[in-house]
Amino acid sequence: MEKTKILIILVLIIVAFGAGVYFKDDAVKLYSSFYERVEELKEADIGQIISEVKKQVFMPDPLNMGGAEKQVTLLQSKIISETNMQRLANGNLPALKENVELNKAAAVKANDMFLNQYFEHVSLTGVDPGKLVQNSGYDYIIAGENLILGNFSSEKEVVQDWMDSPGHRANIMNTRYTEIGVAVIKGTYKGGTVWIGVQEFGLPLSSCAQPDTASKDKINTVRTELDTLALQIDEKKNELEKINSNSAVYRQMVDDYNQLVVQYNSLAEQVKNLIANYNGQVNAFNNCVAGQ
């Protein structure tokens, strides 16, 4: 009977010791897995949006066609129509959509040239075509400006003169432009009565979908939570190393530790997915801006 009691006690001691070893090994294993995930997240960088969109502006030398005054009225709407017909006939390109801000910029440009008697892409106050359209509320990726001065028999002649000039033709046939604004105004320039025609072309920044800022905010929030959990896990590990693995509280501490690690891993997987999704949006935006 006494031998049986001793045997039972020995079995209980062995079981208890085995449990302690099991939980200790389990904690060490999870801790190793946890740090692998920490290092993995350090390499999961958030993609960077192009901080400064490289805005391109195309502005071929202005065309001064001269010519005697003619009794004709030129219309802005017909200039746009003729421009789109040239795009269709010469490259099967889609029609440019008329844009209010670009129309406004074109009118400002034409009137400013008459008022200050110059015929250049850059105003006397240093405003270039890119700044001009931005001042009218048009944020762009690429923009272009065609200028023409003279007397013409029709809107078709105006556009054809532009088409006969390689630089102006390139603007009209640019495959990236989606919008246009036009002004055609009659006035006095250097003592003569002439028409000034202005075309403003553009690809708006809004045509490229911006990455979701809410996703980036969520990533930063979850990363802060992960940093807090990592500190708690480190503290738990330090506590476990100081306590006898055969003590009564050890098992509970291991359970608490494991729950923190499981929580960390769950959040880590969540933030990885968020980063992958956000980076996909960033790459799509950057490629769109670059015309790829």
Side-chain angles (χ1 to χ4, degrees), residues 97-148:
K97 182 181 177 181
E98 185 176 356
N99 178 274
V100 173
E101 287 84 12
L102 292 180
N103 276 342
K104 177 183 175 183
V108 167
K109 181 67 175 180
N111 286 317
D112 189 58
M113 287 189 290
F114 275 126
L115 178 64
N116 293 293
Q117 296 293 286
Y118 72 96
F119 186 54
E120 300 291 343
H121 286 292
V122 181
S123 75
L124 300 184
T125 57
V127 177
D128 62 22
K131 185 65 174 176
L132 175 73
V133 298
Q134 284 185 312
N135 288 345
S136 295
Y138 191 85
D139 198 3
Y140 66 94
I141 297 171
I142 62 170
E145 182 178 82
N146 281 351
L147 300 179
I148 197 167

Side-chain angles (χ1 to χ4, degrees), residues 27-38 261 264-265:
V28 171
K29 182 179 178 181
L30 279 174
Y31 188 74
S32 175
S33 172
F34 155 69
Y35 264 100
E36 287 176 5
R37 184 57 62 90
V38 170
V261 173
Y264 183 93
N265 288 338

